């Protein structure tokens, strides 16, 4: 396609040379040159490659307790994954239920295993369609079929961006979630799923332990959205959303160049969001989103909610722009 563009440019230059080499009456020559200019510009725009999206991603986070409890794809009991291929971009996040420590079970192993399975399946799937609920289901089933199943529970959120359809499909189970920001406007925010206050929907493997909530991937809230170049997707665990209001998050994104974002700018914004959420979580006088929900349920609570925090920030960029820059 780039060779075609060069061919059009050569033909336009030939026509301009022809006009310049022939002694046309001045006014007629200017009119003809103007016509050639607009005709050439129309041709070049018509040959421009159609928008082909991909997700440029950066991630940051803060573990709830030990600062060293961080790895390549986890912060504390939170875990995430990112997959990019020719057909799609896939991202996901999971938040382990810390209550399992009462039974001497490390909840981070459950979330990491689920996200690792999702990543492996997303990378190996070659079909045109990958359903986020189906992806969660297959990853969860693989864990259940282990000879020695990992005990634990977690919330989960998965987004699949189809590059041909230019749309994202999402499945969100529990109180992790995501928002799509276009400029300074939130065009979509997922809704958390709670059985009752501070008890989110969750995937579990309990070996029939009494009192453990066990939801299914099919219980996830699902949606499909058209996306545009420059859209920002903020995917995060409840450590962000329990401590920061929507407008606070949007304000942090405004320094990113929507149409020419860099990884460094995304990483800086993700770092600041995670740091902001951590600082607010430790403020005992702050009327946080979590505190407002608690008071709605009749609980006398004020302050932030100390928790693992993971922020995965993704920008919708054009693959062709990146290729033309190289």
């Amino acid at each position: 396609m780039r060779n075609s563009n060069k061919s059009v440019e050569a033909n336009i230059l030939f026509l301009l040379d022809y006009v310049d080499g022939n002694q046309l009456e001045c006014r007629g020559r200017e009119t003809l040159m103007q016509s050639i200019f607009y005709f050439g510009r129309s041709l070049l725009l018509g040959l421009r490659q159609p928008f082909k999206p991909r997700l440029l991603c950066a991630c940051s986070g803060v573990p709830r307790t030990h600062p060293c409890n961080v790895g390549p794809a986890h912060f504390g009991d939170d875990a995430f994954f990112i997959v990019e291929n020719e057909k799609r971009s896939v991202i996901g996040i999971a938040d382990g239920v810390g209550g399992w420590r009462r039974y001497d079970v490390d909840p981070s192993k459950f979330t990491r295993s689920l996200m690792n399975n999702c990543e492996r399946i997303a990378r190996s799937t070659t079909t045109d369609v990958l359903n986020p609920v189906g992806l969660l289901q297959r990853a969860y089933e693989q864990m259940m079929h282990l000879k020695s199943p990992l005990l634990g529970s977690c919330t989960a959120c998965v987004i699949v961006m189809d590059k041909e359809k230019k749309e994202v499909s999402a499945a969100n189970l529990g109180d992790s979630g995501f928002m799509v920001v276009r400029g300074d406007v939130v065009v979509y925010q997922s809704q958390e799923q709670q059985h009752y206050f501070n008890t989110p929907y969750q995937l579990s493997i309990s070996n029939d332990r009494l009192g453990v909530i066990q939801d299914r991937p099919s219980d996830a809230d699902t949606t499909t959205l058209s996306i545009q170049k420059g859209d920002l997707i903020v995917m995060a665990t409840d450590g962000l959303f329990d401590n920061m209001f929507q407008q606070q998050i949007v304000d942090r994104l405004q320094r990113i160049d929507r149409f020419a974002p860099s990884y460094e700018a995304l990483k800086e914004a993700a770092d600041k969001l995670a740091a902001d959420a951590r600082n607010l979580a430790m403020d005992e006088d702050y009327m946080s989103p979590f505190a407002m929900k608690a008071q709605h349920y009749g609980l006398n609570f004020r302050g932030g909610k100390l928790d693992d925090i993971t922020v995965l920030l993704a920008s919708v960029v054009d693959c062709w722009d990146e290729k033309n820059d190289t």
Side-chain angles (χ1 to χ4, degrees):
M1 188 61 72
R2 294 164 94 184
N3 290 336
S4 298
N5 285 349
K6 290 178 179 178
S7 177
V8 172
E9 290 171 356
N11 288 334
I12 294 170
L13 289 173
F14 171 79
L15 288 171
L16 290 173
D17 288 341
Y18 172 82
V19 172
D20 191 52
N22 288 270
Q23 300 300 314
L24 295 178
E25 192 267 327
C26 181
R27 189 172 178 181
R29 179 174 176 273
E30 289 179 357
T31 302
L32 181 57
M33 288 184 69
Q34 191 177 54
S35 298
I36 291 172
F37 171 78
Y38 286 114
F39 172 71
R41 187 177 68 170
S42 299
L43 278 175
L44 289 173
L45 290 174
L47 289 170
R48 179 184 172 89
Q49 292 281 14
F51 168 49
K52 185 177 183 181
R54 84 170 185 91
L55 294 181
L56 177 63
C57 301
C59 195
S60 186
V62 182
R64 181 179 184 274
T65 53
H66 202 292
C68 293
N69 190 10
V70 173
H74 79 274
F75 298 95
D77 297 338
D78 294 351
F80 67 93
F81 76 94
I82 301 169
V83 171
E84 179 72 30
N85 59 40
E86 189 65 25
K87 294 178 182 291
R88 60 186 69 92
S89 299
V90 190
I91 56 177
I93 204 165
D95 180 1
V97 176
W100 278 95
R101 286 194 170 82
R102 293 197 298 268
Y103 307 108
D104 202 28
V105 172
D106 181 356
S108 68
K109 293 181 178 179
F110 189 89
T111 54
R112 293 180 210 173
S113 179
L114 182 68
M115 293 293 96
N116 286 340
N117 287 353
C118 283
E119 180 178 1
R120 185 173 59 254
I121 294 168
R123 289 192 187 282
S124 62
T125 300
T126 57
T127 56
D128 289 338
V129 178
L130 179 63
N131 181 281
V133 173
L135 175 59
L136 267 180
Q137 182 67 46
R138 291 168 62 188
Y140 181 49
E141 287 177 352
Q142 287 182 4
M143 294 177 65
M144 295 179 71
H145 294 155
L146 292 173
K147 289 184 179 180
S148 300
L150 283 172
L151 299 182
S153 308
C154 72
T155 65
C157 183
V158 172
I159 290 177
V160 178
M161 187 185 74
D162 187 306
K163 295 183 178 181
E164 291 302 318
K165 294 182 179 178
K166 302 177 181 60
E167 63 184 22
V168 294
S169 298
N172 185 56
L173 185 81
D175 58 2
S176 293
F178 73 100
M179 53 196 289
V180 179
V181 182
R182 188 168 297 155
D184 59 356
V185 177
V186 176
V187 297
Y188 181 83
Q189 179 157 8
S190 59
Q191 298 299 309
E192 65 178 33
Q193 296 174 303
Q194 299 274 0
H195 288 285
Y196 41 89
F197 176 66
N198 206 28
T199 307
Y201 284 35
Q202 53 202 263
L203 300 178
S204 303
I205 297 178
S206 64
N207 281 358
D208 299 322
R209 190 183 297 270
L210 293 176
V212 175
I213 295 172
Q214 190 165 2
D215 298 296
R216 300 166 297 179
S218 58
D219 294 323
D221 181 44
T222 60
T223 191
T224 299
L225 303 164
S226 296
I227 45 89
Q228 298 178 11
K229 179 181 175 181
D231 285 353
L232 289 170
I233 299 173
V234 183
M235 176 183 277
T237 54
D238 63 329
L240 177 73
F241 296 120
D242 278 343
N243 290 297
M244 294 189 71
F245 293 95
Q246 186 183 91
Q247 192 58 50
Q248 292 174 310
I249 297 171
V250 171
D251 289 345
R252 268 296 184 203
L253 305 178
Q254 296 310 301
R255 296 186 65 179
I256 299 172
D257 185 340
R258 288 181 59 205
F259 298 106
S262 65
Y263 169 80
E264 290 75 16
L266 292 174
K267 184 65 168 67
E268 181 182 3
D271 286 344
K272 287 182 176 179
L273 283 170
D276 287 347
R278 175 69 171 190
N279 291 334
L280 292 170
M282 300 179 70
D283 185 345
E284 297 180 354
D285 295 321
Y286 172 55
M287 184 54 71
S288 65
F290 181 80
M292 293 182 69
K293 285 182 283 188
Q295 293 193 4
H296 175 76
Y297 282 89
L299 301 175
N300 185 19
F301 182 88
R302 192 178 184 88
K305 181 190 177 189
L306 193 61
D307 200 352
D308 295 319
I309 300 163
T310 300
V311 180
L312 202 168
L313 185 56
S315 176
V316 179
V317 299
D318 192 341
C319 293
W320 298 119
D321 287 348
E322 295 176 318
K323 288 183 179 180
N324 290 335
D325 288 340
T326 59

